Amino acid sequence: MEYGILRRAATWVAAAMVSVGAYAAGAWKADVLGDGYLARTVDQGRDYSGPVVSTIVRQMAPDSVATGRGVLYIHGFNDYFFNARMGDEFAARGYDFYAVDLRKYGRSIRPGQRIFEARSLREYFPDIDSALVQMRRDGVRETVLMGHSTGGLIAAYYMAQTGNTQVDALVLNSPFLDWNLGWKERLVPLIDWWGGLFPTTEISQGESTAYSESLLKGEHGDWEYNTDWKLRRSPDVTAGWVRAISEAQHALRDGKADIGIPILLMYSDKSVDTPEWTPEHNAADGVLDVADIRRYGLMLGPDITCFRVYGGLHDLFLSNRRLLGALYPRVFSWLASSLPPLPPCR
């Protein structure tokens, strides 16, 4: 017990030290989402592309249902946080909701940067630490870390590498735990090696817009978002980015992860793999192989709950409205059974 308390205290101190310089950045301002959402930038210093920042977005739970619980959401590749329904659902259930736009994504893009670029997923750890420190400052005592796709890979990698004891549960929404490239997957080790030498080499991701068509209102979906921040076609990546993804994926396999907190592993019941949009794209994962998500997800730790979502999209929380009406209660039920008991009323 004493060791656990000391370890938790050490984690808080370390996170605070990592983020101590970040709080010279911007104050909270009204966010583009409106309706009570606030955002603030966090100075993360410089990297190989110049100055970088992350952006924290929050929606606080009403005082009448405040519980001291909070959620930190990490978006995927070619993405940013725009899902106000998600934030509102959590806030209505008494969770202070936070999301981070990682460096070079969404609200955090700065002029001259190559958007979405990374050479190691460890680059994002300070972005996560800064948000967790903010949550602790705001009074959050029990924390859920939640990630989608590449954000799910980053969240799992972060927990496996840091063991941050501030985080009490991990929710993974179609995490990017393996490539889904068909025969081209055999080229990944070569590109990985090349990325160590020439990280800026561009690698095409194809021309398909089927996934964005399944999301965007006015095409075949229900959602509106900034297509300068979440592009209709997934952009070219770099060999350095491929190397970063592969490094993280392999670090989570064969017992190397050993994430000790409860994990909710979520994925659709099927995948679809055609470059042109079809109606099936609106009821399946159009990006990853759901069998791979389950296979590698089960390697992450000893306490894993699998949740197959029938008819779910790649981002399960962007599925059709009827499905979401059933999805959120299931997630909240799992959280209620997995988080530490709430403290008694005082």
Side-chain angles (χ1 to χ4, degrees):
M1 178 66 74
E2 290 181 358
Y3 172 76
I5 293 172
L6 289 172
R7 185 172 177 225
R8 184 177 290 269
T11 300
W12 296 344
V13 171
M17 290 177 66
V18 166
S19 301
V20 68
Y23 286 85
W28 290 106
K29 297 180 180 178
D31 185 56
V32 294
L33 293 177
D35 296 327
Y37 283 88
L38 300 175
R40 67 183 294 271
T41 58
V42 181
D43 181 0
Q44 299 292 357
R46 299 178 65 89
D47 69 3
Y48 43 85
S49 66
V52 289
V53 303
S54 61
T55 307
I56 305 170
V57 181
R58 76 179 181 190
Q59 175 73 297
M60 306 297 277
D63 289 342
S64 60
V65 293
T67 62
R69 287 179 169 173
V71 175
L72 175 60
Y73 174 79
I74 305 173
H75 59 77
F77 179 76
N78 186 23
D79 207 356
Y80 72 103
F81 176 67
F82 64 89
N83 190 346
R85 174 168 180 175
M86 176 188 289
D88 294 345
E89 290 273 0
F90 277 96
R93 294 294 188 113
Y95 294 81
D96 290 331
F97 182 85
Y98 296 75
V100 57
D101 276 12
L102 301 168
R103 59 189 67 195
K104 305 173 194 174
Y105 282 86
R107 300 164 180 83
S108 304
I109 296 170
R110 292 298 178 263
Q113 290 180 337
R114 182 188 183 97
I115 59 174
F116 317 149
E117 184 179 21
R119 298 181 187 176
S120 169
L121 298 194
R122 287 177 173 272
E123 294 171 20
Y124 302 123
F125 288 8
D127 304 4
I128 298 171
D129 285 334
S130 298
L132 291 173
V133 169
Q134 179 68 61
M135 294 171 73
R136 185 65 67 181
R137 290 186 173 194
D138 289 344
V140 174
R141 301 185 303 277
E142 296 177 359
T143 302
V144 180
L145 184 60
M146 184 175 180
H148 164 59
S149 196
T150 303
L153 173 62
I154 292 167
Y157 187 49
Y158 173 85
M159 289 306 303
Q161 295 293 305
T162 70
N164 190 329
T165 56
Q166 181 180 338
V167 179
D168 298 287
L170 181 62
V171 176
L172 301 178
N173 167 12
S174 306
F176 181 20
L177 302 177
D178 192 33
W179 300 96
N180 184 30
L181 300 172
W183 67 267
K184 296 178 184 177
E185 208 159 309
R186 289 175 288 178
L187 301 176
V188 170
L190 175 61
I191 297 171
D192 183 339
W193 170 80
W194 186 264
L197 300 174
F198 305 102
T200 60
T201 304
E202 294 188 358
I203 308 294
S204 173
Q205 295 210 87
E207 300 296 326
S208 176
T209 60
Y211 180 54
S212 64
E213 290 179 52
S214 72
L215 300 180
L216 280 166
K217 186 179 290 188
E219 298 201 34
H220 306 288
D222 298 320
W223 303 92
E224 295 178 311
Y225 51 81
N226 185 336
T227 54
D228 290 329
W229 290 352
K230 182 177 176 64
L231 309 180
R232 294 186 73 256
R233 180 186 72 82
S234 193
D236 294 348
V237 294
T238 63
W241 182 86
V242 172
R243 182 179 178 84
I245 296 296
S246 291
E247 174 188 47
Q249 289 175 343
H250 287 289
L252 297 176
R253 296 178 182 173
D254 303 319
K256 294 191 287 291
D258 195 26
I259 299 170
I261 58 176
I263 300 172
L264 180 60
L265 179 67
M266 306 172 66
Y267 47 89
S268 180
D269 65 304
K270 59 183 177 294
S271 298
V272 57
D273 188 22
T274 57
E276 293 80 27
W277 181 88
T278 67
E280 191 177 7
H281 280 88
N282 280 63
D285 189 322
V287 178
L288 297 179
D289 185 330
V290 297
D292 288 339
I293 294 173
R294 176 182 170 84
R295 175 188 176 190
Y296 292 109
L298 288 172
M299 297 181 184
L300 294 176
D303 186 359
I304 299 174
T305 301
C306 290
F307 186 9
R308 179 182 291 127
V309 180
Y310 288 85
L313 298 183
H314 174 56
D315 187 339
L316 297 164
F317 291 97
L318 298 181
S319 299
N320 68 74
R321 308 284 178 170
R322 183 176 178 181
L323 188 153
L324 293 178
L327 178 60
Y328 279 106
R330 291 288 301 275
V331 173
F332 289 124
S333 176
W334 181 84
L335 288 172
S337 66
S338 300
L339 289 173
L342 290 171
C345 296
R346 290 193 285 266

